[in-house]
Amino acid sequence: IMGHRGIDEVGLEGQERAVLQALAGNGMKPIGVATLSGMLGLNVADFESSIEPFLLHSGFIIKTNKGRQITVKGMDHITRGFV
C-alpha cells in the first residue's frame, strides 16, 4: 500500500532515499549541507526543515563538523534494495 505513494516500509520518501543514495555514493564521507542540498535541487532551509529531521531521528544520517554523513544503518537500508 505504502509503495504506491512512493513511501517505503520505514517511511522514507523519494527525496529522503535520494539523500541516502548521494551520501552512500560519497563512500561514507561527509558532504556539506549546501553541496548536498544543491545535488538534490533543494535549498538548504527546505532540506534542513523537511528532509533532514526524519533521517537524523531514524538514525540514517548524522551531522558532523564536515557535513552530513550516512550511517551504517542508512547504508544497510539502501544496499538491501529498499530504494
Side-chain angles (χ1 to χ4, degrees), residues 13 15-16 19 33-34 36-56 61 63 68:
E13 296 179 356
Q15 285 189 318
E16 293 160 331
V19 169
V33 68
L36 182 59
S37 298
M39 290 169 67
L40 301 167
L42 302 168
N43 69 50
V44 172
D46 287 343
F47 174 78
E48 290 181 324
S49 67
S50 63
I51 296 171
E52 183 178 57
F54 183 76
L55 293 174
L56 287 168
I61 68 170
K63 285 184 184 182
R68 302 327 187 247

Side-chain angles (χ1 to χ4, degrees), residues 1 3 7 9 12 14 19 22 24 29-31 33 40 43 53 58 60 66 69 71 77 81 83:
I1 296 171
I7 302 171
E9 72 285 347
L12 297 183
V19 169
K29 296 175 189 163
I31 299 177
V33 68
L40 301 167
N43 69 50
S58 300
F60 289 120
K66 294 185 179 183
Q69 185 174 350
T71 62
H77 183 70
V83 232

